Amino acid sequence: MDCSQFQDDMMDVLYGEADAETSARFEAHRHECADCRDEVSGFQRVRRDMQAWRFDMPRARRHYLPGLRGLAAAAAIVIAFAGGLTIARTEVRYREGELVVRFGGGPAHSPETSEMAQRLARLEAQQRQQTEALRTTALQPVASTGDANQDALLRQVQRMLQQSEARQYQRLQAGLSDLAAEHQRDLMMINTSFSQLQLETASDIERLGTATSNVLRINGK
Amino acid sequence: MVHTDEELVTAFRGGDISAFDTLVQRWERKIQGAVYRIMGSGEDARDLAQETFLRAYRGLGSFKSEARFSSWLYQIALNLCRDRLRQRRGKTLVSIEDLDPATAARVDRSGPTVTAHDMVEAKDLGRIVAAAMSDLPEEQREVIVLKEYEGLTFQEIADTLGVPVSTVKTRLYRGLVQMRERLERQGMHRPAPAAAPLS
């Protein structure tokens, strides 16, 4: 049986574009042809499987700023972490092969803390400058085509792209502010937990010291 | 009030620039999706989608109102995809219609570099489908993307590609045959339903 003449009908019926005459013709053939019945079943399975290939892309960036989000996120994390450490009066130093972390114990403006704050401030300023430079570079004026109308259109398109980019930048900044505030809250919670742990440890050490003294005193008698 | 594409095109030609912005918002993700599935690359999808709208903006003045705006937009996107694929391959496409089906299946595998063999351990149906699609001849892949994922009618696909409707159906049929073979080879066979309706 030559089924090739029914291929078009099969596609129409499979995708719901068949009129009544086409449907009837194909159904009559399918009723008699096992190969076509098998092929239709196979195609239905394929169509179901193909729906598993999902498309989920982020919104198109209308500017070429590779790594902008990564740079901004990294800067936010560094700034938030530094801010949290500063608020929690935490000192982190690596000295003579030993990591030293002090919470709230040291002076508020120890030389090391001030130096770190200054370094972080410089890093933040540097990140902002680099981000601004990237934005400026990506939005350079379009080269003239020699046609005044074309140039006007291209300038209009560029303005639209710039407005879109500005909106996205504002949304990113708002998001980063929320992220920074959240990080500060998290760091303060961590600091509180560590402080509590310090107190408990100190209390335990004191009790142990008292017990040891008592033992020594008793043994000394 | 929701304006049709054609009304927005008319408004744009009358000087309403925001009408184009509405068209972009309406079609941006559809075009990105089509390009992504043809190219297999998110980066290509962003680049070519943006280029599609830039060309549409420049060319909207000469757009013929008898054609559908969406078909015209897809046409631009597909041409950009073909150009990009051609650049990567460095050879001229052979028309599938000139070849018998067996030979046609072996030529012009100009898709992304992901292969079905790479994905055989992935246990991820979506990735297996993507790999199988990437192995299809470009003309069959285009038709499947436009029909299966973009939901265009046969006539719309024919208008977009500039070929007869019968050619669209032939490419779709051959593409489904190859997809079925590839997926069944990957063990994606499922028991056929007892009496599945066709539509």
Side-chain angles (χ1 to χ4, degrees):
Chain A
M1 186 181 294
D2 179 19
C3 299
S4 60
Q5 59 184 308
F6 294 101
Q7 279 179 14
D8 283 5
D9 289 351
M10 182 190 293
M11 292 298 100
D12 284 334
V13 174
L14 196 61
Y15 285 93
E17 290 195 33
D19 54 26
E21 181 184 342
T22 304
S23 289
R25 184 171 60 235
F26 183 72
E27 283 303 324
H29 170 72
R30 189 165 89 120
H31 185 70
E32 295 174 357
C33 178
D35 287 343
C36 282
R37 284 199 299 276
D38 176 72
E39 192 153 66
V40 167
S41 297
F43 287 168
Q44 286 176 324
R45 286 196 298 275
V46 168
R47 293 192 66 200
R48 277 198 304 273
D49 289 345
M50 285 200 288
Q51 293 310 310
W53 187 24
R54 298 209 176 276
F55 162 65
D56 186 19
M57 264 192 64
R59 292 205 174 273
R61 288 174 295 164
R62 292 195 184 145
H63 52 276
Y64 289 92
L65 295 171
L68 169 63
R69 291 181 190 271
L71 273 176
I77 289 169
V78 168
I79 292 164
F81 184 68
L85 290 177
T86 303
I87 289 172
R89 302 172 92 183
T90 301
E91 186 182 344
V92 179
R93 276 186 290 125
Y94 189 76
R95 182 180 58 188
E96 295 173 353
E98 185 181 331
L99 178 66
V100 177
V101 179
R102 292 202 302 173
F103 294 97
H109 300 288
S110 67
E112 293 90 347
T113 305
S114 294
E115 183 190 344
M116 181 176 286
Q118 287 170 11
R119 286 170 62 188
L120 286 169
R122 283 196 296 273
L123 178 63
E124 179 189 2
Q126 189 181 354
Q127 294 282 17
R128 288 192 197 282
Q129 283 174 2
Q130 287 176 354
T131 302
E132 191 55 38
L134 282 171
R135 290 177 62 227
T136 305
T137 302
L139 295 173
Q140 291 298 317
V142 179
S144 173
T145 63
D147 181 328
N149 288 334
Q150 291 277 8
D151 288 346
L153 284 174
L154 289 173
R155 281 196 295 275
Q156 178 63 35
V157 170
Q158 188 181 30
R159 275 196 292 276
M160 291 169 62
L161 292 174
Q162 287 171 345
Q163 289 165 4
S164 172
E165 190 272 342
R167 285 195 296 271
Q168 291 185 46
Y169 189 75
Q170 285 171 1
R171 283 198 290 268
L172 178 63
Q173 291 295 87
L176 288 175
S177 297
D178 293 341
L179 179 66
E182 203 173 307
H183 271 276
Q184 286 182 7
R185 284 194 293 273
D186 289 344
L187 285 169
M188 289 179 72
M189 283 175 57
I190 291 170
N191 179 48
T192 303
S193 301
F194 270 111
S195 297
Q196 185 65 28
L197 182 62
Q198 262 189 315
L199 285 173
E200 290 172 359
T201 304
S203 175
D204 289 341
I205 290 173
E206 188 181 348
R207 283 200 296 272
L208 181 61
T210 304
T212 304
S213 298
N214 291 336
V215 168
L216 289 173
R217 192 171 60 249
I218 291 168
N219 286 343
K221 284 187 178 175
Chain B
M1 180 186 171
V2 177
H3 295 285
T4 64
D5 291 344
E6 285 66 34
E7 287 171 344
L8 290 169
V9 170
T10 302
F12 174 77
R13 285 175 171 160
D16 181 3
I17 303 297
S18 68
F20 185 79
D21 205 30
T22 305
L23 286 168
V24 170
Q25 289 175 26
R26 183 176 292 179
W27 288 103
E28 184 179 26
R29 290 185 72 75
K30 294 285 278 182
I31 294 297
Q32 282 180 353
V35 173
Y36 172 73
R37 287 196 167 98
I38 291 172
M39 302 298 296
S41 158
E43 188 176 342
D44 282 337
R46 279 190 292 268
D47 288 350
L48 297 184
Q50 181 171 351
E51 184 63 27
T52 297
F53 286 105
L54 273 173
R55 291 197 181 191
Y57 190 91
R58 278 186 250 172
L60 211 48
S62 59
F63 168 65
K64 295 185 179 59
S65 302
E66 304 87 61
R68 290 174 66 97
F69 174 78
S70 57
S71 299
W72 181 67
L73 206 58
Y74 277 116
Q75 206 170 60
I76 296 174
L78 288 178
N79 285 335
L80 286 169
C81 289
R82 289 169 184 166
D83 290 344
R84 181 70 63 94
L85 290 169
R86 216 171 279 134
Q87 284 169 11
R88 287 182 183 159
R89 272 198 327 277
K91 64 179 182 186
T92 307
L93 281 177
V94 175
S95 172
I96 297 297
E97 277 73 43
D98 294 338
L99 305 171
D100 61 276
T103 308
R106 295 192 196 97
V107 303
D108 193 23
R109 291 188 177 174
S110 55
T113 54
V114 174
T115 67
H117 294 295
D118 294 336
M119 293 299 146
V120 72
E121 303 295 327
K123 307 277 193 278
D124 182 342
L125 180 56
R127 294 185 184 205
I128 292 173
V129 169
M133 284 285 288
S134 75
D135 214 24
L136 286 180
E138 184 179 307
E139 293 175 345
Q140 294 173 14
R141 187 166 65 246
E142 286 177 354
V143 170
I144 288 182
V145 168
L146 292 176
K147 189 63 185 159
E148 197 62 51
Y149 295 102
E150 301 302 312
L152 271 60
T153 65
F154 287 122
Q155 187 60 58
E156 288 170 342
I157 297 173
D159 292 340
T160 299
L161 300 179
V163 299
V165 170
S166 59
T167 302
V168 173
K169 293 177 184 176
T170 298
R171 291 180 185 178
L172 180 61
Y173 175 82
R174 291 177 179 176
L176 288 174
V177 166
Q178 292 205 41
M179 284 297 291
R180 181 185 177 189
E181 286 173 7
R182 284 167 171 77
L183 292 177
E184 288 181 353
R185 216 182 301 149
Q186 298 298 328
M188 290 298 118
H189 174 79
R190 295 180 194 168
L198 283 176
S199 58

